[in-house]
Amino acid sequence: MVTIVDARSDHHGALEKACAVLRSGHPVAIPTETVYGLAGDIHAEHAIRRIFEIKGRPASNPLICHVSSIEMACEYVHFDDLALSLANAFWPGPLTLVLPRKMRGAALELASAGLSTLAVRIPQGFSRELIECFGRGLAAPSANISGRVSPTSAVHVQEGLGQRVGLIVDGGTCGIGVESTVVEISECVCALLRPGGLDVSMLERMIGRSIETRSDHTVLKSPGMMASHYAPRARVRLDALEVFPDEALLTFGACSVAGAEAAKSVQNLSVKGSLEEAAARLFDAMLVADRTGATTIAVVPIPLEGLGLAINDRLRRSAAPRIS
């Protein structure tokens, strides 16, 4: 039986219950500002194995270590000056840094997929408070079946994971709605591994130069790098200028789409053309469209700027050929 505790009405109780589950060696679903995470003690081998098992996640796909402070992050990874400046500027928030791993141990080896690097970030809100209360880093990938649409509400978690998780902390709808931006820093070189909730241009302004984009993804150094990911049950068709009767439609701004009146459903990610609003609504809109039974979800072109980079990244991976 899944227990759902509402952190908005019983904040202290939610922290206590979540800490108790974590200390027992089991994962708990928690809200973050990006998406809901399936959190487990990053020092507990059983908890890490259980996260991979619940999600059906390949062991080669590393997890992010969530911490509550830069001081805690320094226990896990090595910071150079560039990494430290980015951490000070953008943490807590939707930025993940992939850095040389400092801490060892069987659980850390599992969480990092055996790599010499580890992805770390400081989340905002309840999740950060939970880490402070728990006193250790948490591995917390998205609380969904691997490769499927990420959850941005407790209802999404319950629908996606069912009885696989014992406790879900309901913190309301996630404010950002897409996962964190991931960059790898090596020898003061900053490379983008995954666009996300932090606009890449803000990072570039901070460091005073363009960020490299890594094209070789044969080694997964962070979550969200698999070709097929964020996928609903329906097929996803991008850059749609028309929609057919058996399709659901995701539109944006004032875009006009031929055949929209006959679509199974029509959802506008942002009537006013806000990429921030579109990012926050993207995963929920995909799940709503999927529930219509549509064979295909048609998506209009989304601008490739700002958070549009993250939106287009998620859409491109959701439309990629399925692994199974």
Side-chain angles (χ1 to χ4, degrees), residues 11 18 33 47 53 92 96 105 111 122-123 129 140 145 151-152 162 170 172 194 197 203 217 225 243 269 274 284:
H11 193 81
E33 77 278 29
E53 179 184 350
T96 293
I122 301 178
E129 292 181 60
I145 300 299
T152 55
D170 187 349
R194 177 182 75 183
L203 290 169
H217 289 173
M225 295 178 67
V243 61
L269 296 175
S274 164
D284 181 67

Side-chain angles (χ1 to χ4, degrees), residues 12-30 39-48 51 72 126 128-139 167:
H12 181 70
L15 284 172
E16 285 192 335
K17 288 182 174 67
C19 275
V21 172
L22 290 170
R23 292 190 182 110
S24 74
H26 295 282
V28 56
I30 61 172
D41 183 354
I42 201 161
H43 296 275
E45 188 175 353
H46 170 77
I48 301 302
I51 287 173
M72 184 183 286
F126 178 89
R128 186 184 186 190
E129 292 181 60
L130 177 61
I131 298 165
E132 289 176 339
C133 180
F134 186 60
R136 297 151 72 99
L138 296 179
L167 179 66

Side-chain angles (χ1 to χ4, degrees), residues 11-318:
H11 193 81
H12 181 70
L15 284 172
E16 285 192 335
K17 288 182 174 67
C19 275
V21 172
L22 290 170
R23 292 190 182 110
S24 74
H26 295 282
V28 56
I30 61 172
T32 79
E33 77 278 29
T34 56
V35 300
Y36 273 68
L38 183 62
D41 183 354
I42 201 161
H43 296 275
E45 188 175 353
H46 170 77
I48 301 302
R49 289 190 185 281
R50 185 67 182 132
I51 287 173
F52 280 101
E53 179 184 350
I54 289 171
K55 287 178 60 65
R57 184 186 182 97
S60 59
N61 194 0
L63 308 176
I64 294 173
C65 177
H66 292 70
V67 296
S68 60
S69 66
I70 293 177
E71 290 72 24
M72 184 183 286
C74 287
E75 298 174 16
Y76 294 95
V77 292
H78 296 279
F79 283 81
D80 61 15
D81 289 342
L82 176 58
L84 194 57
S85 66
L86 290 176
N88 280 309
F90 298 109
W91 281 355
L95 172 66
T96 293
L97 300 176
V98 176
L99 300 170
R101 180 158 58 93
K102 178 188 295 185
M103 192 176 288
R104 300 292 180 236
L108 267 296
E109 290 290 330
L110 280 174
S112 63
L115 298 173
S116 61
T117 56
L118 182 67
V120 293
R121 91 171 180 102
I122 301 178
Q124 296 174 344
F126 178 89
S127 49
R128 186 184 186 190
E129 292 181 60
L130 177 61
I131 298 165
E132 289 176 339
C133 180
F134 186 60
R136 297 151 72 99
L138 296 179
S142 56
N144 61 326
I145 300 299
S146 183
R148 293 298 182 185
V149 179
S150 298
T152 55
S153 72
V155 170
H156 292 166
V157 178
Q158 187 176 20
E159 290 177 346
L161 293 183
Q163 303 297 315
R164 293 181 178 90
V165 61
L167 179 66
I168 300 172
V169 177
D170 187 349
T173 302
C174 299
I176 293 176
V178 293
E179 296 83 354
S180 59
T181 298
V182 181
V183 297
E184 181 182 18
I185 298 176
S186 177
E187 298 178 349
C188 288
V189 174
C190 188
L192 179 67
L193 300 184
R194 177 182 75 183
L198 180 65
D199 188 343
V200 173
S201 66
M202 295 178 67
L203 290 169
E204 292 177 329
R205 285 196 295 270
M206 174 71 191
I207 66 176
R209 60 180 183 273
S210 297
I211 293 177
E212 297 181 5
T213 300
R214 292 279 164 86
S215 57
D216 181 13
H217 289 173
T218 54
V219 176
L220 302 179
K221 293 191 174 183
S222 84
M225 295 178 67
M226 297 179 71
S228 177
H229 208 43
Y230 316 109
R233 292 179 179 83
R235 188 172 67 91
V236 176
R237 182 167 65 86
L238 304 181
D239 299 324
L241 299 178
E242 61 178 343
V243 61
F244 303 104
D246 62 340
E247 296 184 327
L249 174 66
L250 299 188
T251 186
F252 176 77
C255 182
S256 178
V257 181
E261 66 283 351
K264 279 188 172 290
S265 71
V266 178
Q267 297 178 83
N268 197 320
L269 296 175
S270 176
V271 174
K272 61 185 178 182
S274 164
L275 290 170
E276 290 76 14
E277 183 181 15
R281 294 199 60 220
L282 177 64
F283 289 143
D284 181 67
M286 291 176 71
L287 289 168
V288 169
D290 216 19
R291 292 189 200 109
T292 67
T295 58
T296 302
I297 300 172
V299 188
V300 303
I302 306 292
L304 267 169
E305 59 188 33
L307 282 183
L309 294 177
I311 295 170
N312 279 282
D313 173 79
R314 304 310 188 267
L315 289 171
R316 177 172 53 81
R317 295 180 194 276
S318 72

